[in-house]
């Protein structure tokens, strides 16, 4: 993977996981399925962490490219 797009890739994956998690969480609410709600919450957390890693990679690359 290109070092210049590495951070963006993580950020996009994170956003997708957060959206997927929100959908699972809401569907779990609608169907009264606590297991699905928990999976959705986990996906949202995983996505947030991925986004933060992407931010870190971008910031690190920006500082080292100066």
């Amino acid at each position: 993977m290109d070092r210049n797009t590495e951070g963006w890739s993580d950020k996009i994956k994170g956003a997708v996981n957060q959206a997927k998690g929100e959908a699972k969480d809401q569907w779990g609410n609608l169907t009264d399925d606590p297991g699905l709600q928990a999976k959705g919450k986990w996906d949202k957390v995983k996505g947030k962490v991925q986004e933060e890693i992407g931010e870190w990679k971008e910031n690190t690359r920006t500082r080292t490219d100066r």
Side-chain angles (χ1 to χ4, degrees):
M1 181 178 297
D2 182 13
R3 199 167 116 81
N4 293 327
T5 60
E6 203 170 342
W8 278 103
S9 175
D10 286 320
K11 289 169 67 174
I12 291 169
K13 288 176 188 175
V16 168
N17 275 320
Q18 286 184 64
K20 182 174 69 171
E22 183 63 27
K24 283 182 184 178
D25 191 13
Q26 292 302 318
W27 188 254
N29 283 335
L30 184 65
T31 60
D32 197 28
D33 183 346
L36 191 55
Q37 286 176 294
K39 287 177 184 176
K41 289 179 188 335
W42 173 251
D43 283 343
K44 288 192 281 188
V45 170
K46 182 172 78 170
K48 184 65 179 163
V49 170
Q50 280 178 315
E51 271 191 323
E52 293 296 323
I53 289 170
E55 286 288 330
W56 177 81
K57 285 180 180 178
E58 281 188 351
N59 290 336
T60 301
R61 180 183 50 83
T62 302
R63 283 192 298 258
T64 59
D65 288 348
R66 289 183 190 177

